[in-house]
């Protein structure tokens, strides 16, 4: 058994993950909005930046006691502060992942991979999308699967999934209204999802 397989992660690790993700979204907000202006409402970066800033502020006041509680609280905050589709989708992802982790004070990478899979399935159900529809699922589905192998593999899978949206025609969300004109643009939701997974890998070291 490798050291990474044996390691477990507590509430503080999950707080660090979300704060690191918030910093990445803050840094990349203009790029996310630029991607969204090509095929969406041009608000993805600004919306997520506001949402993750609220999450970070919340967690600075008080970190919930368990990994699951950290994610559930963050998900609720995103749903209440982020406009557009991304608030409910990201909120659902984190809340469902948190609920799947239950009350455990420490969780393994394998347990997180399984819980993230449940979160991703909830996003798919909410948005009625699947891999290949040019949405955040193109990054999240392969990331959740690869997390069973390692944090680094999850990051690589998410980044590859986001890049793979460029030649796709959007079948869900605002971009789907553009039809063929959505081809040739990287999906902003898949791009921000890759940032979330990259932050996880960064904090895991």
């Amino acid at each position: 058994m490798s050291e990474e397989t044996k390691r477990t992660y507590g509430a503080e690790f999950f707080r660090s993950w979300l704060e690191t993700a918030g910093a990445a979204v803050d840094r990349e907000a203009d790029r996310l909005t630029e991607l969204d202006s090509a095929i969406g409402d041009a608000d993805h970066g600004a919306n997520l930046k506001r949402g993750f800033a609220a999450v970070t502020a919340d967690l600075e006041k008080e970190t919930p006691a368990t990994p699951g509680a950290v994610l559930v609280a963050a998900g609720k905050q995103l749903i209440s502060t982020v406009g557009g589709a991304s608030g409910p989708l990201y909120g659902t992802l984190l809340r469902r992942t948190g609920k799947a982790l239950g009350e455990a004070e420490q969780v393994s990478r394998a347990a997180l991979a399984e819980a993230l899979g449940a979160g991703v399935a909830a996003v798919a159900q909410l948005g009625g999308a699947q891999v290949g529809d040019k949405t955040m699922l193109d990054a999240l589905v392969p990331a959740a699967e690869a997390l069973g192998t390692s944090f680094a593999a999850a990051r690589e899978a998410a980044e590859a999934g986001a890049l793979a949206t460029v030649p796709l025609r959007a079948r869900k969300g605002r971009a789907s209204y553009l039809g063929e004109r959505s081809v040739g643009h990287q999906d902003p939701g898949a791009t921000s999802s890759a940032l979330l997974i990259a932050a996880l890998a960064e904090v895991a070291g």
Side-chain angles (χ1 to χ4, degrees):
M1 218 186 218
S2 72
E3 282 307 307
E4 193 195 279
T5 309
K6 285 187 282 190
R7 270 184 73 187
T8 58
Y9 306 88
E12 200 49 52
F13 172 86
F14 282 80
R15 186 184 95 149
S16 294
W17 170 25
L18 294 173
E19 287 178 346
T20 302
V25 166
D26 188 66
R27 214 169 40 242
E28 297 287 334
D30 289 347
R31 177 171 165 251
L32 293 173
T33 292
E34 196 178 311
L35 291 172
D36 197 33
S37 66
I39 58 172
D41 293 326
D43 59 1
H44 189 62
N47 282 346
L48 275 192
K49 182 176 175 176
R50 184 173 68 249
F52 274 96
V55 167
T56 298
D58 239 22
L59 292 173
E60 276 171 1
K61 276 185 244 160
E62 186 187 1
T63 303
T66 64
V70 171
L71 294 183
V72 169
K76 284 180 179 169
Q77 183 62 257
L78 287 176
I79 289 168
S80 65
T81 54
V82 180
S86 52
L89 291 168
Y90 270 105
T92 295
L93 175 70
L94 295 180
R95 276 181 68 180
R96 187 68 191 82
T97 301
K99 283 180 179 171
L101 289 174
E103 302 295 313
E105 289 186 11
Q106 294 281 327
V107 300
S108 64
R109 176 174 49 76
L112 176 56
E114 195 175 321
L116 184 63
V120 173
V123 169
Q125 193 176 11
L126 179 64
Q130 58 188 2
V131 172
D133 284 344
K134 200 180 181 101
T135 70
M136 63 199 291
L137 292 176
D138 288 302
L140 289 175
V141 170
E145 288 169 1
L147 187 55
T149 304
S150 71
F151 287 107
R155 180 183 63 220
E156 286 162 20
E159 287 169 355
L163 278 175
T165 62
V166 174
L168 297 177
R169 176 179 172 165
R171 301 193 186 282
K172 290 287 170 188
R174 183 82 175 70
S176 65
Y177 303 153
L178 295 175
E180 288 298 331
R181 283 180 297 147
S182 65
V183 173
H185 299 282
Q186 188 166 319
D187 182 67
T191 307
S192 57
S193 294
L195 290 178
L196 182 69
I197 302 298
L200 175 63
E202 183 185 328
V203 173

